[in-house]
Amino acid sequence: MNNKVQLLPTLFTIFFPILLSGQFAVSGTVSADGAPLPYAEVMLLDTLNQLIKGDLSDLDGRFTLAAPAGRYHLRVNYLGYEAEAVVLELVENQDLGTITLSNQGEDLAAVTVTATRPLIEQRPDRLIFNLESSIAAAGGTGLSALELVPGIRLQNGLLELIGRGNPAVLLDGRLLQLTGEELTSFLASLAADDIQRIEVIANPPARYAAAGQGGLLNIVLKKGRSNAWKNTTTLSHTQAFYGFTNLNNAFFFNREKLSLSASATATKGFQRDFEEIEVQFPSANWATEVVNRSRNDRYSARLAADYSFSDQFSLGAQYLGNFSQPDFDGTATGAVRNQNNQLDSLLINQQLADRNVTSHTANLHGNWQLDTNGRSISFDLDLFDYDNELTQFSDIATFSPEETFLGINLAQENRSDQRITNYSAKIDVEQPVLSFQLSYGASLMYTSTLADQRNFNTRSGMPVFDASLSNEFEYEENVQAAYFTAKGDGGDRWQWQAGLRVENTQTESFSLTLNQRTPNDYFKLFPTLYLVYRPAEDQEFSFSYGRRINRPGFRNLNPFRIYANSNSYSEGNPFLQPSFTDRFEFTHAFRGKLRTNLFFNRTIEGHGVLFAPDAEAQIQAAIRRNYYQEYYFGIGEILTLESGIWSSQSQAYVYAGITEVLPGFLAQEQNGVQFNLSTNQTLALNQQTQIQVN
C-alpha cells in the first residue's frame, strides 16, 4: 500500500515538462444583472485592433484566452449590453476577476430581445441538452427527460448510452451511489421542471470517478436569477394504459450574497408492466407472461442555499429527499409444453407487493478564490442514505390444460430491507501555470450496503419462517482516488486536454447466512485524452479517449440462492471482478447543426448473468460470472434545425457488437447490428403556445 501512495507524486511530475511555454493566460468571468453571463463574445486584440484570440464565455460566464507576452485590448460584447474594454500588459497569467456589462436601457427602450439557449450544445468533452428549450420535458420526470436526450435510451428499465453501455449519473456534478432499478426509481422521483440541463459525458475527464461503463450523465438543477425571486407551479397528466398526475412547485430567491431554492413534487397514479420469458429444455418448453399494475406514487423535496462571505469565499449546502410507494399487483402465467408442443400444465402466480423507498441526499460545498490569477480550491462533503423496504406475496398454483386446479406449487411471503449508506469527500484545485490550466485533487468514498431478506412459507395460511430461503448480506467498498489534468491551446485552431486518475479500491462482501466473507483489493490507472481541431469557424473535429471501470453491484455479489418458483432460481457470485472499458470517440460538428459521432469500445473481463439449465430436472439457474470480452462500434448523426417558428432535432444511430465468450463457459454469442431513430419537431404558434411531436 505504501508503494501505491508514493506512486501518486511521481505520476503528477510526469506532466510538468509540458508546462514550458512562452504563452500566458488571461481569464475572468462575465456578468450582467448580477448573474454570470454565458455566451458573451470575448476578443483579445493587438494594438492595431487585429484579432489575436476569441471565444465565448461558458455556462458559468468564465473565459480563458492564451497569447504570447505583449500589450493587448480585451473586448467583451453581448447583444443588449454596453461593450467593455480592458487594456492589459500580458507578462504573466492574469485573472481579471468579474467584468460586468451594463444594460443599454435607453438605447433599447423600444426593442424587446428574446434569447433562448440552443437545444443542443457541443463541448470538447461533453454534449449539453438544455431542458429549458424543450417543451416535451415540461411536467415530466427526470427519467422521462433523460429519454429526450440525444444518444440516450431506456432499455429494459435501465438507462443506456446508445451502443456504449449503462452510464453513471451525477446530480450537480456529484455521483449518485445508485445503479439499476434503484437509479431508475430515484430519477423518476425528480421533476423535469427542476432541471436546467443534462450533460452527456461519454469520456469523462479525470476529475470524475472512473465508475460507469457507459460514461456519465450530469443532471444540473436550476438556479434563480440574482436580486429576484420566482415561483413556478406545474400540473401535468400522462395517460397510457393507466394514467398518473404530476404536481411540482419550485421557488427561487437570490438577494445580494444569499441564494435559496426549494421545490416539492408529488406524483400519483399507475403504470402497466409487461414481460415475456421463454425457456427451452430438450423435453419441455416453459413460456411465462407477466402482467403487472405498478403504483406510481412519489413525493420529493429539495432545498439548497449558497452564501458568499466575500469575493474570495462562498459556502453552500443542499438537501434532496425522496419517498415513493412503487407497489404492484399482477399475474404471471406460465405454460409448460412437452416435446410435441402440447400443453402439459399451467403455473399461475398471483403476486402482490407492498414497497416503500426512501432516500436522503445532503451536500456541503465551498470555494476559495486564492488570488486574481485563477487559483482556486473547492471541496465537497456528501452523504447519501437509501432505504428500500419490500413485502411481496407469491401464490403459485398448478392447473391442468383444462384449467383444473392440481395443487400449490409455491406459496410464500418475502420481507426484505435494503439499506445503502455512502459518505464521500473530495477537494479540487485549479491552478494556471504559464499558458496551461492545471487541475488536480483527491477524494475518499465509503459505501456500506445491508440486505436482509426473510422468507415465510404460507401454504398453511399462516406465515412460517423458512430459514433456508432467508438471507442477510453485507457489502462495504472503500475508494481512494487522486487525479491530475492539464489543458491548453496549440495555436488558434487546436485545443487539448490530458489527464490521469488513480483509484485504489478495497471491498468486502459478507454473507451472514452462509458465514462467507470475501475481500478484494485492487489499484488501477485511468488515463484520458481530448483533442479539438477547428479548421474553420463552422467546423470542429474532436477526438477523445478514456478508460472506465464497471464494479459489480452488491446484488450480483450476494452468493445466496433466491427462488422465483420451484424450478427457477438466481444466485450471485462474491468472487466477481470489475470489468474495464477502453472508449474511443471521434466527432465532427458542422455549423452547430449537424453532429457526426463515431465510437469504438473494448470491454475486458465483462461480468453478467449466465443461464445454466439442468435439462433433466428442468431447472433454470441464473448465475453471475466474468465470462466475456466485447467490442462495440457505431456511428450516430444528430441534426438540429431552427427556422422562425419551427425547430427540429433528429438522430439516427447504427451500431454493432461482437462478443467473445471466454474459454470454459457455455453461452451463445448474441452479435448483431442495431438501428435507432428518433425525431423531435416543435412548432411555435405564438409567443405563448408551442406544439411538439416526438
Side-chain angles (χ1 to χ4, degrees), residues 359-374:
S359 67
H360 303 277
T361 303
N363 167 263
L364 178 67
H365 54 271
N367 181 269
W368 287 274
Q369 296 293 329
L370 300 180
D371 54 31
T372 59
N373 292 326

Side-chain angles (χ1 to χ4, degrees), residues 15 41 50 67 85 143 240 340 372 394 467 497 550 552 651 657 671 678:
F15 289 92
E41 184 182 44
Q50 293 181 337
L143 188 63
N340 300 321
T372 59
S394 296
Q497 179 175 318
N550 183 22
Q651 67 173 13
N671 300 326
S678 65

